[in-house]
Amino acid sequence: MRIDEHVDNTVQELADLLISKHHDYGPRNISQSPGGPLNGLRVRMWDKFARINNLIDNEVDPEHESLEDSFKDMANYAIIGLLVLRGQWDNE
């Protein structure tokens, strides 16, 4: 498989996950975050980054959320951030 196919498959996987979680959480968990949506995303991304660092630095085998899951969440938080900046994130 070529790199462009890997990228396409990964982006589709992230999109599917983002949309699925959006249905579970709804838009308000981002749009009504304390300090605003960008602050809410910043906090979530900071927590995720700390988790990634801990797993890598301490060679921890997580019980619940894999390193791959953490990277997926970071990528999707970045996508949500772009949608917020562009005024495309649901508020309701």
Side-chain angles (χ1 to χ4, degrees), residues 19-59:
I19 291 165
S20 175
K21 285 190 173 188
H22 181 62
H23 290 299
D24 290 345
Y25 285 94
R28 292 185 185 147
N29 73 315
I30 300 295
S31 63
Q32 295 182 3
S33 293
L38 292 178
N39 188 62
L41 286 165
R42 178 173 54 173
V43 169
R44 287 171 178 84
M45 291 175 87
W46 179 262
D47 289 344
K48 202 60 64 169
F49 187 64
R51 177 180 174 74
I52 289 167
N53 282 340
N54 181 60
L55 293 176
I56 292 171
D57 293 346
N58 296 306
E59 299 179 4

